[in-house]
Amino acid sequence: MSRVYNFSAGPSVLPESVLERAASEMLDCNGSGQSVMEMSHRSKEFDAIIKGTEQKLRQVLNIPDNYKVLFVQGGASSQFAMVPLNLMNKSGKADFVISGQWAKKAYTEAARYGQANIVASSADKTFSYIPELDSSKFDPEADYFHVCWNNTIYGTHFNEIPDVGNVPLVADMSSCILSEKIDISKFGVIYAGAQKNMAPAGLTVVIIREDLIGNARDITPTMFNYKTHADNDSLYNTPPTYCIYMLGLVLDWIINDIGGIEKMHEQNVKKAAMLYDFLDNSKMFNATVQGKDRSLMNVPFVTGNDELDKKFVKAAADAGFVNLKGHRSVGGMRASIYNAMPVEGVEKLVAFMKDFEEKNS
Ligand SMILES: *Cc1c(COP(=O)(O)O)cnc(C)c1O
């Protein structure tokens, strides 16, 4: 068996020890004589799994007691509708920061349900920075204020929590959840598709302040109402059971192997610094994002020459560094270095890039 270093933006690399444990428990999980895939979601075996996963998520992210954790489906993309259906119900207005394509999709979807206002945008420079926020443009009557915390495609990340007063702050954290400590109490809703930093595709995690549950519009489909999932401990219907189990294993790995969220963050800072330092000193490769807005998770870079970019992506894949092609809207390359990418994977990528630069300049 030979494994590659996988820099995919999502679905993405999972910790090898987690995959090994899942494999060892595949036919018989915890002496149940069954695979988790085969278990009833109403069984006592699965009840222990879902409760355990929630408890570990609460521990790792230090989630306050007045927040619910919901395990739902439909991806972060369904949250673009679920948030307005549940929250856009008082003034019917919401504020948006357009920091990338996902943020824009959240805005476009919300605009179908109410008055969506753009308070800032970085579209003018292909979303290569986080726009400055001018609080005089914020609507104090907004039902929520939406941000995309880490812009997966463009490699930018918020590093300051906007001061939105009493307006609930809603954040799409799909590509940075579990990568750093966050003060959950500053947010009304945090949501994330699992396939970047948490688990296989199919699970979406919603962390929501309790008072924001129970005010959905009448037309809200039952499955899109947060209350449905909150009242039923995410077991109203069949949840993505195997993904919830896998998230539990990933959380065990963060707690036991890494040593918690702070240690996880330290490791992410170290990995990202190695790559950015190389890019900043390279004559061939350039990072597309500068300064404080740089993401620790997604690192886009270019050579400025499409042919050379292609040659690099191919040579890298041949050498076992896969999925480095950039998003079509940015071009060039992107290395997604999520939690599960080992330090050694980034070290070896940098060594490969140095070598490629020497041989091709
Ligand atoms: C991947 C991603 C999405 C889309 O997630 P789906 O689960 O495919 O719907 C939304 N927002 C961000 C920030 C992402 O990285």
Side-chain angles (χ1 to χ4, degrees), residues 74-78 80 102 148 150-152 172 174-175 193 195-196 204:
S77 300
S78 292
F80 300 161
W102 297 117
C148 180
N150 185 76
N151 296 281
T152 322
D172 177 353
S174 294
S175 51
Q195 69 274 20
K196 310 312 175 21
T204 309

Side-chain angles (χ1 to χ4, degrees), residues 67 87 168-170 184-190 207-209 212:
Y67 284 72
L87 266 61
L169 184 59
V170 175
I184 306 270
S185 71
K186 295 280 198 309
F187 296 85
V189 182
I190 291 169
I207 301 166
I208 180 169
R209 214 174 62 214
L212 298 172

Side-chain angles (χ1 to χ4, degrees), residues 70-71 75 122 162 233 284 315:
L70 309 177
F71 298 125
S122 50
D233 297 325
M284 176 180 283

Side-chain angles (χ1 to χ4, degrees), residues 6-15 102 150-155 173-179 193-199 253-254 258 264 267-269 271-272 275 295-299 323 334-343 345-346:
N6 179 9
F7 295 91
S8 167
S12 38
V13 57
L14 284 160
W102 297 117
N150 185 76
N151 296 281
T152 322
I153 295 173
Y154 307 95
M173 294 202 182
S174 294
S175 51
C176 59
I177 193 154
L178 299 181
S179 71
Q195 69 274 20
K196 310 312 175 21
N197 229 357
M198 290 195 286
W253 171 78
I254 293 178
I258 300 294
M264 190 81 256
Q267 183 173 308
N268 288 329
V269 169
K271 285 188 304 189
L275 190 47
S295 167
L296 297 180
M297 297 283 102
N298 312 97
V299 182
N323 290 318
R334 171 179 47 170
S336 293
I337 48 174
Y338 295 117
N339 283 354
M341 172 57 64
V343 175
V346 180

Side-chain angles (χ1 to χ4, degrees), residues 66 70 73 77 95 100 110 116 146 151 157 199 207 243 291 316 329-330 336:
N66 63 326
L70 309 177
Q73 302 190 50
S77 300
D95 283 346
H146 186 276
N151 296 281
H157 177 271
I207 301 166
C243 294
S329 63
V330 182
S336 293

